[in-house]
Amino acid sequence: MTFTREQIAAYAAASGDHNPIHLDDEFARSAGLPGVIAHGMLQMGIAATVAAEAAGGPDHLRRLFVRFAGMVEPGDTVTFRAEPNGTGKLDLSALNQRGEAVLTKAVAEYDGHPLPSGERDQGRGA
Amino acid sequence: MAAIAGRTYPAVKIEIDRDRVEEFAHAIGADPADGVPPTYAAVYSLGVTAPHLFGDEDAAIDFGRLLHAEQEFEWTRQPDMGETVVSSGRVASDVSRRGMRFVTFETDTTDEKGAALCRSRTLFVIRQEVRPARAPARP
């Protein structure tokens, strides 16, 4: 996925995280950054989408862990992958166009079957 | 500046709003038809409790020097579209070493009946100000 300012702004609006380091180049530079950067949580969201697909659907996911290791700027292309690593576990990777990992130690755990929705009131006729 | 490990914040209720979930799904490239994206927890969990931490004067979190270093979510189940969940945040640990402050902030999310739904664990790393060496006062 190639990150754009528009997508970063869309994530800011959708998530409620309007930290100006994601939206305002001047502010980002004053904070020591090269310019605006993508939210780590946006990257985690994309990684989670890949993990959910590998797990058979978002309802199967039980755990996600990521370390935010590198900056992602508009124009960067990041390849997200989920690799099986034992039963119910996925190793997640996110490498930019330079081969640098922007997420590290990223893993997902999932169950083979989603939790029964009997936990929630199904309104079966009394 | 006191470390604030153990501090807890009030519970916040939030509805898993369909329009907002769809907007979020589009923003991360997920298909809303697949259901609530797991990292929508960024909104219903950390998203509603982190403001307590950032707004806590005693916590003295310098937002400008803060880095979201690690994030973990664990789910008992994903929330249903339209349900109301309840999230409560707490500072699990707050340690400083070598000019860096490490704050672990946890959020527990339950359904309205109190059944566990999601736990979030966030590691914030805050760069602390390096005290400049003071020149001695001129006589």
Side-chain angles (χ1 to χ4, degrees):
Chain A
M1 163 163 298
T2 299
F3 286 79
T4 65
R5 283 171 194 282
E6 290 73 28
Q7 182 189 26
I8 293 167
Y11 185 80
S15 67
D17 182 354
H18 298 281
N19 189 332
I21 62 170
H22 306 299
L23 302 169
D24 183 325
D25 275 327
E26 210 173 295
F27 184 92
R29 281 192 282 265
S30 76
L33 297 166
V36 299
I37 59 172
H39 306 69
M41 290 303 301
L42 165 55
Q43 300 158 45
M44 189 179 187
I46 297 165
T49 303
V50 172
E53 205 177 310
D59 284 346
H60 294 259
L61 278 192
R62 291 289 165 265
R63 178 175 175 258
L64 275 179
F65 175 87
V66 304
R67 175 174 291 178
F68 300 114
M71 290 184 307
V72 172
E73 298 179 68
D76 283 347
T77 300
V78 179
T79 303
F80 294 86
R81 282 200 181 88
E83 298 282 346
N85 181 13
T87 310
K89 287 183 109 158
L90 299 165
D91 284 339
L92 308 178
S93 67
L95 300 180
N96 68 15
Q97 68 274 14
R98 294 183 290 274
E100 298 158 341
V102 298
L103 301 177
T104 56
K105 297 190 182 296
V107 292
E109 293 172 20
Y110 64 94
D111 282 348
H113 307 284
L115 271 186
S117 53
E119 295 242 33
R120 309 188 279 280
D121 193 326
Q122 286 195 298
R124 291 253 178 91
Chain B
M1 174 195 57
I4 50 157
R7 181 159 297 216
T8 62
Y9 298 103
V12 180
K13 281 191 177 184
I14 177 170
E15 187 192 329
I16 308 297
D17 174 76
R18 178 176 296 275
D19 288 340
R20 190 143 184 219
V21 169
E22 287 186 5
E23 185 187 0
F24 187 91
H26 285 304
I28 64 168
D31 186 347
D34 287 341
V36 180
T39 65
Y40 193 67
V43 174
Y44 66 76
S45 163
L46 181 64
V48 295
T49 60
H52 290 156
L53 175 69
F54 297 144
D56 181 347
E57 284 181 8
D58 293 339
I61 303 282
D62 187 339
F63 203 63
R65 295 170 173 271
L66 174 140
L67 181 68
H68 188 172
E70 293 179 354
Q71 179 62 43
E72 178 177 36
F73 293 118
E74 288 179 292
W75 293 275
T76 309
R77 66 168 174 89
Q78 299 296 328
D80 292 327
M81 200 77 83
E83 84 167 296
T84 295
V85 300
V86 185
S87 293
S88 315
R90 68 176 169 278
V91 179
S93 70
D94 180 0
V95 296
S96 293
R97 56 176 181 270
R98 292 201 290 267
M100 306 284 270
R101 181 181 177 199
F102 300 86
V103 175
T104 299
F105 185 68
E106 292 182 353
T107 299
D108 279 329
T109 302
T110 69
D111 67 16
E112 280 193 295
K113 292 183 184 141
L117 199 145
C118 177
R119 168 170 290 182
S120 159
R121 193 183 58 79
T122 302
L123 177 62
F124 290 123
V125 177
I126 301 126
R127 288 177 293 123
Q128 291 185 289
E129 196 141 351
V130 175
R131 295 233 180 89
R134 282 179 167 279
R138 292 265 174 246

